[in-house]
Amino acid sequence: MKSKKLETTGIQALLSERTIIIVLLALLAFFWSIQLIDTLAALLIFGTIAGLLVRLEFKRHRMSLRMRIAETKKLEFNKRGGIKSVRANTLNAVPLPILIIGEDHRISFANHSALDLLGSDIVGNDVYIYLRQSKIVDAIEKVFEDGKKHAGVVRYTNKQKRSFDVTVARVSGTGGEDVPTQAMAFFYEITSMLQTEQMRVDFVANASHELRTPLSSLIGFIETLQGPAKDDVPARDRFLGIMQSEAERMVRLIDDLLSLSKIEMSRHQAPDTQVNVETMVQSVALTAQSAGKERGIDFKVKIAKGATRVIADPDQLMQVLLNLAVNAAKYADRDSTVHISADLVKNKKHVQLSIQDEGPGISNEHLARLTERFYRVDNARSRKMGGTGLGLAIVKHILLRHDSVLDVTSKVGSGTTFSFKLLRA
Ligand code: ADP
């Protein structure tokens, strides 16, 4: 409407300008004919006026062209669905699945995320074919039959075990009474939240179980020493020895649990200290050598040129190297050699640290789960060695803080290599 008005005023303005010019020309011709002005002056004035006229014509042509383009654009926009398509684009930009469902239960609209979740051919089909779960069906019914504005939030889990909190709400049309009521289903994904919740529950259960075992054993021995073995001196000495090692196991477990929570607290603070890898690795090798002495494990250290300094948290790097080296001392074959090395990575920006043993190796099915809390390949062996099942989880979390990952390559019967990269200082 507005553009039409503008268009008319613009053209009217041009027309009146044109009329003035024509009147001026007529006057000029009249003055020339009665010889009020001479021919040369008349030609000069005529030329100027004619130039003005051409400019005006050109302006008029440009204006009508611009109007025609605007009109075509408007037609195209309406052809593509007009304002409706703008709404669809907005809903498509929402990264959560959204469905709009008609009273006949047919899906009238599905945004891109909903098409990805439920299938590309869902629009026009009955929603119950795709969302068979009774809670969602009830929620949609409530919106249509009971006239509820919101049918609350219902949980939906698909075959791929993705879980969503689905909100179903009534959408009334804004175009008068003829516009039908529709239901809108909005899917909020909670899969990773549920996984984290499950991990926390498992962790508490596992930690309690790990502590309960030595605690039950301690209580058992205390009762025996108070009762049947009260006056049995050799038995008392033996039991006290076992009680001590059980108590030490509990202390190790609590230390590891505290370590883990401390590491998680510093997770987002990037370390910035320069650490001398050479001295640290030598000292770790000495400690691990004494841990593996009884089993005849020998440690060999090799530090490449230019790989002597890294950026790390010194205490945490020490803990990583110790956990890996002591594991090698515990699990490597008797009388074998463990190699600890530091090499310069090709890009010269990183140093790669590796701990390689000649042990039983770890089969593929265990490799992916190795750094999970309390995961053990051989439960009995780990417990016999005094392991808490948290050593590699601690390593993983420390390396995460160092923007690095633990790489494990293993061949059953030949041995295992644990390696990781750190920023070179
Ligand atoms: P643990 O306290 O049981 O040693 P870790 O988290 O340090 O716990 O290690 C998890 C499991 O990985 C161990 O129980 C063991 O089965 C396996 N493992 C770790 N290091 C080695 C290794 N060098 N060789 C073979 N198995 C290993």
Side-chain angles (χ1 to χ4, degrees), residues 327 330-331 357 362 370 375-377 382 387-389 391-392 418:
N327 268 358
K330 282 194 305 194
Y331 300 110
D357 67 50
I362 303 164
L370 218 53
Y375 189 82
R376 296 167 169 108
V377 176
S382 158
T388 60
L392 293 182
F418 291 87

Side-chain angles (χ1 to χ4, degrees), residues 272-289:
D272 55 4
T273 317
Q274 285 202 18
V275 179
N276 187 323
V277 172
E278 194 160 13
T279 30
M280 191 177 275
V281 167
Q282 296 288 6
S283 123
V284 166
L286 269 180
T287 314
Q289 178 110 24

Side-chain angles (χ1 to χ4, degrees), residues 256 323-324 327-332 357 359-362 370-372 374-379 381-383 385-394 410 415-416 418:
D256 278 358
N323 283 8
L324 295 174
N327 268 358
K330 282 194 305 194
Y331 300 110
D357 67 50
I362 303 164
L370 218 53
T371 54
E372 281 178 23
F374 301 115
Y375 189 82
R376 296 167 169 108
V377 176
D378 182 342
N379 240 317
R381 186 161 183 203
S382 158
R383 284 180 204 279
M385 299 276 190
T388 60
L390 291 172
L392 293 182
I394 290 175
S410 190
T416 309
F418 291 87

Side-chain angles (χ1 to χ4, degrees), residues 109-124:
F109 173 81
N111 72 347
H112 288 334
S113 304
L115 296 177
D116 287 344
L117 176 69
L118 301 168
S120 54
D121 57 347
I122 59 172
V123 176

